[in-house]
Amino acid sequence: MARDARGGRPAVPRPRVQLAALAVAGVFLLIGVLGFIPGITTDYGELRFAGHHSDARLLGLFQVSILHNAVHLLFGLVGLVLARSIAGARLFLAAGGAIYLALWLYGLGIEAINPEGGANILPLNDADNWLHLALGFGMLALGLLLSNQVGTGGRLDNPAERH
């Protein structure tokens, strides 16, 4: 029987919600790194620290900045840490989904009010807005639907949830 990394109790497969959180966190880390690679990020010379004046585009489509890429990296690292527990994985996916839905609304609002205004601290374009909508709903769905078989129907703080 397989043992965990410390040689203690037998290793058990991770619940799907934790695997989903790890996968999403990994994607955010990958996107954050790719945003700093010339060629994958077109117009790399136009990459700015923050604001809507950064004309660099990840995959030639998504407008990015140094701050935007750093946020993706930070979000991915937070996801890796939170995915260590079922409750943390749920929190990362559900709260992250809510954050991305709010970011989608922010992008729509900025675009409707004044896309060149000073309130636009993140470089957002239509492609970013649609991606944020998909990420928001996708992360919420993963966090809420994949965890309905683990940790529900009983106390939320039972010992299995504390790992």
Side-chain angles (χ1 to χ4, degrees), residues 21-161:
L22 284 170
V24 170
V27 169
F28 276 108
L29 288 171
L30 178 65
I31 296 302
V33 169
L34 291 178
F36 289 113
I37 299 176
I40 295 174
T41 299
T42 60
D43 297 322
Y44 189 79
E46 300 298 316
L47 186 68
R48 302 290 178 256
F49 177 75
H52 57 279
H53 296 295
S54 182
D55 288 326
R57 297 195 188 283
L58 180 63
L59 304 174
L61 189 61
F62 304 102
Q63 194 174 0
V64 293
S65 68
I66 294 170
L67 178 62
H68 201 155
N69 292 333
V71 167
H72 287 141
L73 290 170
L74 180 64
F75 207 73
L77 290 174
V78 167
L80 289 180
V81 170
L82 289 175
R84 296 176 63 199
S85 71
I86 293 169
R90 283 181 186 156
L91 176 66
F92 172 67
L93 292 169
I99 289 168
Y100 271 89
L101 288 175
L103 191 55
W104 169 66
L105 290 173
Y106 169 79
L108 290 179
I110 288 298
E111 189 175 290
I113 296 170
N114 182 3
E116 298 299 320
N120 191 2
I121 60 168
L122 292 175
L124 300 172
N125 59 12
D126 285 336
D128 288 303
N129 289 336
W130 286 108
L131 180 62
H132 293 154
L133 176 64
L135 280 171
F137 279 125
M139 289 176 72
L140 273 174
L142 288 171
L144 298 175
L145 298 177
L146 288 182
S147 61
N148 64 353
Q149 296 300 318
V150 287
T152 57
R155 291 179 36 192
L156 292 178
D157 63 346
N158 63 31
E161 293 263 331

Side-chain angles (χ1 to χ4, degrees), residues 1-5 7-14:
M1 179 172 271
R3 300 279 176 185
D4 71 359
R9 60 187 170 349
V12 295
R14 289 181 188 247

